[in-house]
Amino acid sequence: VDASEVKESTETAGQLEVLAQDRLLATMGTILSRYASLDQAGRDAENRHREAIVCLALDGVMEQFSDEQFARHAAQVYGWLTPLILVKSEAVRARVAKVFERKNEKPVFERLMRKTLDA
């Protein structure tokens, strides 16, 4: 195996990782947005079974995202989290609070919040 093959293989792996992250984030965004919409519409019966999935997704953001990944996707995640602040589920709200309090990302969210308020 020569150096060019190793470089090409590494680049391909990196591209696949980014593609997988993008698809996973898109799916997560759909799940979180749908959950917030159903909650706001008062459709609790439909939403009850989704709570565990939403909690799992939020736990994944906290536990699986590296600081770099978290910073790269913070604006996107922020947009999904803000509607979840007001949902009925205490478990979901507690996890949202943990994401907002994530030590290394607090300044990122504070900037995003200021931009939202200024708009």
Side-chain angles (χ1 to χ4, degrees):
V1 178
D2 66 18
S4 65
E5 289 175 340
V6 171
K7 181 180 177 188
E8 184 177 315
S9 177
T10 303
E11 288 173 357
T12 301
Q15 291 169 344
L16 288 174
E17 182 180 342
V18 169
L19 179 64
Q21 282 179 19
D22 289 346
R23 287 189 179 178
L24 181 60
L25 282 169
T27 301
M28 186 173 77
T30 300
I31 291 167
L32 298 178
S33 297
R34 180 78 174 145
Y35 181 85
S37 295
L38 289 172
D39 186 85
Q40 290 171 358
R43 294 167 67 182
D44 298 342
E46 283 182 63
N47 231 11
R48 201 168 326 281
H49 70 279
R50 289 181 173 88
E51 183 178 334
I53 296 167
V54 169
C55 288
L56 184 64
L58 294 171
D59 288 344
V61 169
M62 284 300 298
E63 297 168 9
Q64 302 299 318
F65 275 30
S66 68
D67 290 343
E68 178 188 333
Q69 289 171 318
F70 197 88
R72 186 173 348 127
H73 301 293
Q76 191 174 22
V77 172
Y78 179 82
W80 299 329
L81 295 180
T82 50
L84 295 175
I85 292 170
L86 301 174
V87 299
K88 292 175 187 80
S89 168
E90 188 176 324
V92 171
R93 289 192 323 267
R95 283 169 172 84
V96 169
K98 283 183 181 179
V99 175
F100 277 122
E101 291 172 353
R102 187 172 162 155
K103 182 183 175 194
N104 295 337
E105 303 313 321
K106 214 170 180 180
V108 173
F109 282 133
E110 287 171 355
R111 281 193 306 276
L112 289 169
M113 191 169 30
R114 270 197 243 60
K115 280 184 183 178
T116 303
L117 294 174
D118 291 343

